[in-house]
Amino acid sequence: MTQLPVLVDVADGVARITLNRPDRGNALNQAMADALLEAALRTANDGGVRCVVLTGAGRMFCVGGDVTDFAGNSAGIGAFLQRLAGTLHQAMTVFASMNKPMICLVNGPAAGAGLSMAISGDIVLADPSAHFTAAYLGIGLTPDGGMTWLLPRLVGLRQAQDIILTNRRVEANEAAAIGLVTRVVEENALAREGSELATRLASGAVASMGAARKLLQESFASGLASQMDRELTAIAFAGESAEGREGVRAFLERRPPAFRNDP
């Protein structure tokens, strides 16, 4: 029986996407990239999905690209890498632009494209066993998966230069200290804390979360005045929305808002 390279489970408004090549450290090959893009498109466009969770099967989150495949396609490596990275980039773009939050649960080491995927969530929880390595320059390649965009924004340019150029390993606690991940959870608590967080986000004002994540993405390319213009447009729209009306009504009635029931 063929093992699916990516698993997708949807329940109670939460889509759990699992990289599923544990015997290969969840190394990214073309089949996995294709499946990840399909999963991204499916969950981003499913109105019943209110939160997306990305994690890895087994002891690793993702060790990066499958270098064995690189070697096997050495005659046409440029075209091979362009297709592989291009597919990954499409998936990452869908995740980044969807109107719902994304959580990454880093269950173990993340390297190369695995690092790019691991830090792409709005909230990133890491197991104590997790560690992070850029890895690319160790095999004479350059970063992909959005790493050179994400890293400087999360940890600053100096830290990003150090992590990428020296190829050093960042342990879980340091990753939390420098802002690479949101926090490190206690041992054996990742699945439970991730599930609780996903449930909480899925019951929240998801449309407004989607607007907020877009504002955050735009902020580094905006001046203060133009960013406040965007905020003005967004809050006016949110105030007119079913979520905004329910949130205000619930606050005044001193009850929890029922965002899940909004269209």
PDB file of all heavy atoms in Angstrom, residues 2-23:
ATOM      1  N   THR A   2       0.633   2.151  -0.928  1.00  0.00           N
ATOM      2  CA  THR A   2       1.436   3.363  -1.050  1.00  0.00           C
ATOM      3  C   THR A   2       1.126   4.332   0.087  1.00  0.00           C
ATOM      4  O   THR A   2      -0.028   4.592   0.401  1.00  0.00           O
ATOM      5  CB  THR A   2       1.162   4.058  -2.393  1.00  0.00           C
ATOM      6  OG1 THR A   2       1.437   3.141  -3.456  1.00  0.00           O
ATOM      7  CG2 THR A   2       2.043   5.281  -2.542  1.00  0.00           C
ATOM      8  N   GLN A   3       2.180   4.868   0.693  1.00  0.00           N
ATOM      9  CA  GLN A   3       2.018   5.823   1.780  1.00  0.00           C
ATOM     10  C   GLN A   3       1.834   7.222   1.222  1.00  0.00           C
ATOM     11  O   GLN A   3       2.620   7.679   0.394  1.00  0.00           O
ATOM     12  CB  GLN A   3       3.267   5.774   2.678  1.00  0.00           C
ATOM     13  CG  GLN A   3       3.262   6.784   3.801  1.00  0.00           C
ATOM     14  CD  GLN A   3       4.478   6.642   4.676  1.00  0.00           C
ATOM     15  OE1 GLN A   3       4.531   5.786   5.549  1.00  0.00           O
ATOM     16  NE2 GLN A   3       5.492   7.471   4.442  1.00  0.00           N
ATOM     17  N   LEU A   4       0.789   7.897   1.678  1.00  0.00           N
ATOM     18  CA  LEU A   4       0.545   9.259   1.219  1.00  0.00           C
ATOM     19  C   LEU A   4       1.614  10.185   1.796  1.00  0.00           C
ATOM     20  O   LEU A   4       1.904  10.139   2.996  1.00  0.00           O
ATOM     21  CB  LEU A   4      -0.837   9.727   1.658  1.00  0.00           C
ATOM     22  CG  LEU A   4      -2.037   8.979   1.060  1.00  0.00           C
ATOM     23  CD1 LEU A   4      -3.332   9.466   1.698  1.00  0.00           C
ATOM     24  CD2 LEU A   4      -2.079   9.165  -0.449  1.00  0.00           C
ATOM     25  N   PRO A   5       2.210  11.057   0.972  1.00  0.00           N
ATOM     26  CA  PRO A   5       3.285  11.922   1.466  1.00  0.00           C
ATOM     27  C   PRO A   5       2.805  13.049   2.372  1.00  0.00           C
ATOM     28  O   PRO A   5       3.592  13.613   3.134  1.00  0.00           O
ATOM     29  CB  PRO A   5       3.902  12.481   0.187  1.00  0.00           C
ATOM     30  CG  PRO A   5       2.813  12.427  -0.826  1.00  0.00           C
ATOM     31  CD  PRO A   5       2.005  11.212  -0.485  1.00  0.00           C
ATOM     32  N   VAL A   6       1.526  13.390   2.290  1.00  0.00           N
ATOM     33  CA  VAL A   6       0.923  14.411   3.145  1.00  0.00           C
ATOM     34  C   VAL A   6      -0.456  13.918   3.568  1.00  0.00           C
ATOM     35  O   VAL A   6      -1.241  13.480   2.729  1.00  0.00           O
ATOM     36  CB  VAL A   6       0.796  15.767   2.420  1.00  0.00           C
ATOM     37  CG1 VAL A   6       0.006  16.765   3.265  1.00  0.00           C
ATOM     38  CG2 VAL A   6       2.163  16.348   2.080  1.00  0.00           C
ATOM     39  N   LEU A   7      -0.724  13.987   4.864  1.00  0.00           N
ATOM     40  CA  LEU A   7      -2.026  13.598   5.382  1.00  0.00           C
ATOM     41  C   LEU A   7      -2.828  14.849   5.724  1.00  0.00           C
ATOM     42  O   LEU A   7      -2.280  15.825   6.235  1.00  0.00           O
ATOM     43  CB  LEU A   7      -1.867  12.737   6.640  1.00  0.00           C
ATOM     44  CG  LEU A   7      -1.019  11.473   6.511  1.00  0.00           C
ATOM     45  CD1 LEU A   7      -0.914  10.775   7.864  1.00  0.00           C
ATOM     46  CD2 LEU A   7      -1.604  10.534   5.463  1.00  0.00           C
ATOM     47  N   VAL A   8      -4.125  14.808   5.445  1.00  0.00           N
ATOM     48  CA  VAL A   8      -5.010  15.917   5.779  1.00  0.00           C
ATOM     49  C   VAL A   8      -6.204  15.363   6.550  1.00  0.00           C
ATOM     50  O   VAL A   8      -6.913  14.481   6.072  1.00  0.00           O
ATOM     51  CB  VAL A   8      -5.509  16.659   4.521  1.00  0.00           C
ATOM     52  CG1 VAL A   8      -6.407  17.831   4.933  1.00  0.00           C
ATOM     53  CG2 VAL A   8      -4.345  17.153   3.680  1.00  0.00           C
ATOM     54  N   ASP A   9      -6.399  15.885   7.746  1.00  0.00           N
ATOM     55  CA  ASP A   9      -7.530  15.483   8.577  1.00  0.00           C
ATOM     56  C   ASP A   9      -8.292  16.736   8.979  1.00  0.00           C
ATOM     57  O   ASP A   9      -7.701  17.673   9.526  1.00  0.00           O
ATOM     58  CB  ASP A   9      -7.049  14.733   9.827  1.00  0.00           C
ATOM     59  CG  ASP A   9      -8.197  14.355  10.747  1.00  0.00           C
ATOM     60  OD1 ASP A   9      -9.031  13.528  10.344  1.00  0.00           O
ATOM     61  OD2 ASP A   9      -8.285  14.921  11.858  1.00  0.00           O
ATOM     62  N   VAL A  10      -9.579  16.770   8.704  1.00  0.00           N
ATOM     63  CA  VAL A  10     -10.408  17.927   9.024  1.00  0.00           C
ATOM     64  C   VAL A  10     -11.469  17.508  10.030  1.00  0.00           C
ATOM     65  O   VAL A  10     -12.228  16.563   9.795  1.00  0.00           O
ATOM     66  CB  VAL A  10     -11.083  18.513   7.770  1.00  0.00           C
ATOM     67  CG1 VAL A  10     -11.974  19.695   8.143  1.00  0.00           C
ATOM     68  CG2 VAL A  10     -10.030  18.944   6.748  1.00  0.00           C
ATOM     69  N   ALA A  11     -11.509  18.215  11.157  1.00  0.00           N
ATOM     70  CA  ALA A  11     -12.507  17.933  12.180  1.00  0.00           C
ATOM     71  C   ALA A  11     -12.757  19.193  12.992  1.00  0.00           C
ATOM     72  O   ALA A  11     -11.808  19.893  13.383  1.00  0.00           O
ATOM     73  CB  ALA A  11     -12.048  16.801  13.095  1.00  0.00           C
ATOM     74  N   ASP A  12     -14.017  19.486  13.236  1.00  0.00           N
ATOM     75  CA  ASP A  12     -14.421  20.610  14.101  1.00  0.00           C
ATOM     76  C   ASP A  12     -13.786  21.935  13.685  1.00  0.00           C
ATOM     77  O   ASP A  12     -13.354  22.720  14.524  1.00  0.00           O
ATOM     78  CB  ASP A  12     -14.070  20.302  15.558  1.00  0.00           C
ATOM     79  CG  ASP A  12     -14.784  19.059  16.078  1.00  0.00           C
ATOM     80  OD1 ASP A  12     -15.958  18.869  15.710  1.00  0.00           O
ATOM     81  OD2 ASP A  12     -14.167  18.284  16.826  1.00  0.00           O
ATOM     82  N   GLY A  13     -13.714  22.164  12.381  1.00  0.00           N
ATOM     83  CA  GLY A  13     -13.208  23.431  11.877  1.00  0.00           C
ATOM     84  C   GLY A  13     -11.703  23.545  11.806  1.00  0.00           C
ATOM     85  O   GLY A  13     -11.184  24.586  11.406  1.00  0.00           O
ATOM     86  N   VAL A  14     -10.989  22.494  12.178  1.00  0.00           N
ATOM     87  CA  VAL A  14      -9.525  22.505  12.165  1.00  0.00           C
ATOM     88  C   VAL A  14      -9.016  21.496  11.143  1.00  0.00           C
ATOM     89  O   VAL A  14      -9.411  20.331  11.159  1.00  0.00           O
ATOM     90  CB  VAL A  14      -8.948  22.172  13.555  1.00  0.00           C
ATOM     91  CG1 VAL A  14      -7.424  22.105  13.500  1.00  0.00           C
ATOM     92  CG2 VAL A  14      -9.401  23.202  14.582  1.00  0.00           C
ATOM     93  N   ALA A  15      -8.140  21.957  10.246  1.00  0.00           N
ATOM     94  CA  ALA A  15      -7.491  21.057   9.282  1.00  0.00           C
ATOM     95  C   ALA A  15      -6.075  20.789   9.770  1.00  0.00           C
ATOM     96  O   ALA A  15      -5.284  21.720   9.938  1.00  0.00           O
ATOM     97  CB  ALA A  15      -7.462  21.690   7.899  1.00  0.00           C
ATOM     98  N   ARG A  16      -5.757  19.540   9.990  1.00  0.00           N
ATOM     99  CA  ARG A  16      -4.422  19.147  10.430  1.00  0.00           C
ATOM    100  C   ARG A  16      -3.696  18.535   9.229  1.00  0.00           C
ATOM    101  O   ARG A  16      -4.092  17.495   8.708  1.00  0.00           O
ATOM    102  CB  ARG A  16      -4.493  18.140  11.576  1.00  0.00           C
ATOM    103  CG  ARG A  16      -3.128  17.769  12.169  1.00  0.00           C
ATOM    104  CD  ARG A  16      -3.290  16.740  13.282  1.00  0.00           C
ATOM    105  NE  ARG A  16      -2.021  16.368  13.877  1.00  0.00           N
ATOM    106  CZ  ARG A  16      -1.467  16.972  14.918  1.00  0.00           C
ATOM    107  NH1 ARG A  16      -2.093  18.002  15.476  1.00  0.00           N
ATOM    108  NH2 ARG A  16      -0.307  16.582  15.403  1.00  0.00           N
ATOM    109  N   ILE A  17      -2.627  19.198   8.798  1.00  0.00           N
ATOM    110  CA  ILE A  17      -1.829  18.747   7.669  1.00  0.00           C
ATOM    111  C   ILE A  17      -0.521  18.172   8.215  1.00  0.00           C
ATOM    112  O   ILE A  17       0.205  18.857   8.938  1.00  0.00           O
ATOM    113  CB  ILE A  17      -1.539  19.908   6.701  1.00  0.00           C
ATOM    114  CG1 ILE A  17      -2.853  20.482   6.155  1.00  0.00           C
ATOM    115  CG2 ILE A  17      -0.636  19.447   5.556  1.00  0.00           C
ATOM    116  CD1 ILE A  17      -2.676  21.734   5.318  1.00  0.00           C
ATOM    117  N   THR A  18      -0.239  16.918   7.865  1.00  0.00           N
ATOM    118  CA  THR A  18       0.942  16.240   8.410  1.00  0.00           C
ATOM    119  C   THR A  18       1.868  15.809   7.286  1.00  0.00           C
ATOM    120  O   THR A  18       1.473  15.058   6.388  1.00  0.00           O
ATOM    121  CB  THR A  18       0.532  14.999   9.232  1.00  0.00           C
ATOM    122  OG1 THR A  18      -0.402  15.388  10.252  1.00  0.00           O
ATOM    123  CG2 THR A  18       1.752  14.361   9.886  1.00  0.00           C
ATOM    124  N   LEU A  19       3.114  16.293   7.326  1.00  0.00           N
ATOM    125  CA  LEU A  19       4.146  15.811   6.405  1.00  0.00           C
ATOM    126  C   LEU A  19       4.423  14.361   6.766  1.00  0.00           C
ATOM    127  O   LEU A  19       4.742  14.052   7.920  1.00  0.00           O
ATOM    128  CB  LEU A  19       5.405  16.666   6.538  1.00  0.00           C
ATOM    129  CG  LEU A  19       5.199  18.185   6.397  1.00  0.00           C
ATOM    130  CD1 LEU A  19       6.521  18.929   6.633  1.00  0.00           C
ATOM    131  CD2 LEU A  19       4.625  18.535   5.033  1.00  0.00           C
ATOM    132  N   ASN A  20       4.333  13.456   5.792  1.00  0.00           N
ATOM    133  CA  ASN A  20       4.244  12.035   6.141  1.00  0.00           C
ATOM    134  C   ASN A  20       5.249  11.154   5.387  1.00  0.00           C
ATOM    135  O   ASN A  20       4.877  10.222   4.690  1.00  0.00           O
ATOM    136  CB  ASN A  20       2.804  11.539   5.890  1.00  0.00           C
ATOM    137  CG  ASN A  20       2.565  10.150   6.442  1.00  0.00           C
ATOM    138  OD1 ASN A  20       2.993   9.832   7.550  1.00  0.00           O
ATOM    139  ND2 ASN A  20       1.873   9.307   5.683  1.00  0.00           N
ATOM    140  N   ARG A  21       6.522  11.474   5.545  1.00  0.00           N
ATOM    141  CA  ARG A  21       7.583  10.571   5.096  1.00  0.00           C
ATOM    142  C   ARG A  21       8.538  10.352   6.274  1.00  0.00           C
ATOM    143  O   ARG A  21       9.725  10.685   6.213  1.00  0.00           O
ATOM    144  CB  ARG A  21       8.345  11.142   3.902  1.00  0.00           C
ATOM    145  CG  ARG A  21       7.516  11.399   2.658  1.00  0.00           C
ATOM    146  CD  ARG A  21       8.417  11.879   1.516  1.00  0.00           C
ATOM    147  NE  ARG A  21       9.253  10.814   0.996  1.00  0.00           N
ATOM    148  CZ  ARG A  21      10.454  10.996   0.431  1.00  0.00           C
ATOM    149  NH1 ARG A  21      10.973  12.218   0.342  1.00  0.00           N
ATOM    150  NH2 ARG A  21      11.149   9.975  -0.026  1.00  0.00           N
ATOM    151  N   PRO A  22       8.029   9.813   7.378  1.00  0.00           N
ATOM    152  CA  PRO A  22       8.843   9.727   8.597  1.00  0.00           C
ATOM    153  C   PRO A  22      10.112   8.906   8.439  1.00  0.00           C
ATOM    154  O   PRO A  22      11.117   9.181   9.105  1.00  0.00           O
ATOM    155  CB  PRO A  22       7.886   9.101   9.618  1.00  0.00           C
ATOM    156  CG  PRO A  22       6.846   8.402   8.799  1.00  0.00           C
ATOM    157  CD  PRO A  22       6.680   9.238   7.572  1.00  0.00           C
ATOM    158  N   ASP A  23      10.081   7.919   7.551  1.00  0.00           N
ATOM    159  CA  ASP A  23      11.268   7.095   7.328  1.00  0.00           C
ATOM    160  C   ASP A  23      12.368   7.872   6.610  1.00  0.00           C
ATOM    161  O   ASP A  23      13.535   7.453   6.614  1.00  0.00           O
ATOM    162  CB  ASP A  23      10.901   5.849   6.515  1.00  0.00           C
ATOM    163  CG  ASP A  23      10.211   6.180   5.193  1.00  0.00           C
ATOM    164  OD1 ASP A  23       9.417   7.142   5.177  1.00  0.00           O
ATOM    165  OD2 ASP A  23      10.469   5.490   4.199  1.00  0.00           O
TER     166      ASP A  23
END
